[in-house]
Amino acid sequence: MIRLQKYLADAGVSSRRKCEELISQGRVQVNGRIVTEPGTKVEGTEEIRVDGKKVEPAKRKIYILLNKPVGYISSVRDQFSRKTVIDLVSGIKERIYPVGRLDYDTSGLIILTNDGEFANMLMHPRHEAEKVYRAEVEGMLGADDINRLEKGIDIGGYVTAPASVRVIDKTKKRSVVEISIHEGKNRQVRRMFESIGHPVLKLKRTAIGGITVGTLEEGKWRYLTKTEVEDLKLKYSSNLSAE
Ligand code: URA
């Protein structure tokens, strides 16, 4: 049970203070009866009206960070009945969906939400959130390779925006690199490394917009904290409103 003014405020009617006034002024009905006592408790299942207009309950907004294993598809349903990221998130009644995509053969951080505005904000093509990948690639990367990746490279009809690259480990056979990009073309990281003749052996996304997968085990998920959600909104929504 929650107080009527909180219910109304959560549903976006107005501030809590203003909602108290609406109640006192006799403008709020609960199941057809005018309620004038602001402290009145409601379940949230009642029919609630303000000035005769029905109030739709606030949908709980869900923000989940999943560490996707290889072998899962990052969509809600798959036409070939392969396992999807949704199969890994149990106990959530709301209809959630992934923000952007990770290839079937890529692991790592993917965000799931039911907040369409939030999803659009993170994927907006003009200023996509920074994504960090850890790639294991064939052969030893040289300074020239890194230069080409950093400057932008033609991946078949499209030249990538500048990236930042850091070599973590390298031997003759393979190199491990961290690469940060602000785009999300189809199989972009794989195509970037293919273009320089160092195909990707293994790929994991480790961060989006400063949120890292950390020590979360593969196949496990957690809710984003309130601070993480607010930080992302601060970082990326101001960009959008400036357009
Ligand atoms: N780039 C890729 O090549 N694959 C992904 O899953 C994500 C980025």
Side-chain angles (χ1 to χ4, degrees):
M1 300 278 275
I2 62 167
R3 291 157 80 86
L4 184 53
Q5 60 269 37
K6 174 160 170 39
Y7 176 90
L8 293 173
D10 288 349
V13 170
S14 193
S15 69
R16 205 181 297 189
R17 166 83 72 79
K18 188 84 213 304
C19 290
E20 282 177 11
E21 286 174 24
L22 294 173
I23 298 166
S24 310
Q25 290 163 359
R27 294 166 63 183
V28 180
Q29 289 176 28
V30 177
N31 287 337
R33 209 168 49 82
I34 289 174
V35 170
T36 53
E37 187 53 55
T40 306
K41 296 266 177 72
V42 291
E43 296 277 5
T45 50
E46 302 87 343
E47 187 186 273
I48 296 175
R49 291 177 182 267
V50 175
D51 292 336
K53 195 162 163 271
K54 200 166 158 191
V55 176
E56 296 301 335
K59 261 204 281 157
R60 183 170 77 118
K61 298 238 174 94
I62 309 230
Y63 307 93
I64 281 173
L65 183 165
L66 169 71
N67 185 356
K68 180 184 111 53
V70 166
Y72 284 79
I73 187 141
S74 58
S75 55
V76 176
R77 244 170 267 106
D78 181 46
Q79 53 174 331
F80 305 114
S81 307
R82 287 175 294 183
K83 290 175 287 187
T84 77
V85 286
I86 303 294
D87 294 329
L88 294 166
V89 184
S90 54
I92 305 289
K93 285 195 297 304
E94 288 80 357
R95 199 185 159 280
I96 52 171
Y97 45 86
V99 178
R101 303 183 64 114
L102 268 189
D103 297 335
Y104 186 72
D105 43 0
T106 301
S107 65
L109 191 163
I110 188 154
I111 292 174
L112 300 130
T113 187
N114 60 349
D115 182 346
E117 213 176 307
F118 181 81
N120 288 343
M121 174 192 89
L122 284 186
M123 292 194 299
H124 196 280
R126 279 275 296 281
H127 18 244
E128 265 198 57
E130 180 189 46
K131 283 162 284 202
V132 184
Y133 296 87
R134 189 184 170 99
E136 192 177 316
V137 306
E138 257 181 50
M140 187 182 279
L141 282 188
D144 183 47
D145 295 319
I146 293 166
N147 236 327
R148 291 175 66 200
L149 292 170
E150 288 197 323
K151 273 205 177 123
I153 187 163
D154 192 331
I155 56 170
Y158 176 79
V159 178
T160 59
S164 102
V165 179
R166 186 168 69 92
V167 176
I168 295 169
D169 190 22
K170 61 179 178 182
T171 65
K172 257 193 190 150
K173 276 200 165 148
R174 63 183 252 301
S175 308
V176 180
V177 233
E178 191 173 86
I179 178 164
S180 307
I181 60 173
H182 288 264
E183 304 166 288
K185 297 285 171 219
N186 190 28
R187 296 180 78 81
Q188 179 163 339
V189 175
R190 290 173 198 276
R191 285 159 69 199
M192 287 172 81
F193 283 100
E194 255 157 43
S195 297
I196 56 162
H198 292 275
V200 166
L201 300 168
K202 217 171 154 186
L203 189 62
K204 175 177 181 166
R205 181 154 69 196
T206 56
I208 293 182
I211 311 275
T212 60
V213 72
T215 55
L216 189 66
E217 274 176 57
E218 267 188 17
K220 299 273 190 256
W221 62 273
R222 67 169 175 85
Y223 287 108
L224 289 182
T225 65
K226 215 171 165 189
T227 316
E228 285 173 329
V229 173
E230 273 161 17
D231 281 354
L232 287 173
K233 285 185 180 170
L234 260 181
K235 255 190 197 166
Y236 299 109
S237 65
S238 54
N239 282 341
L240 290 187
S241 53
E243 276 192 1

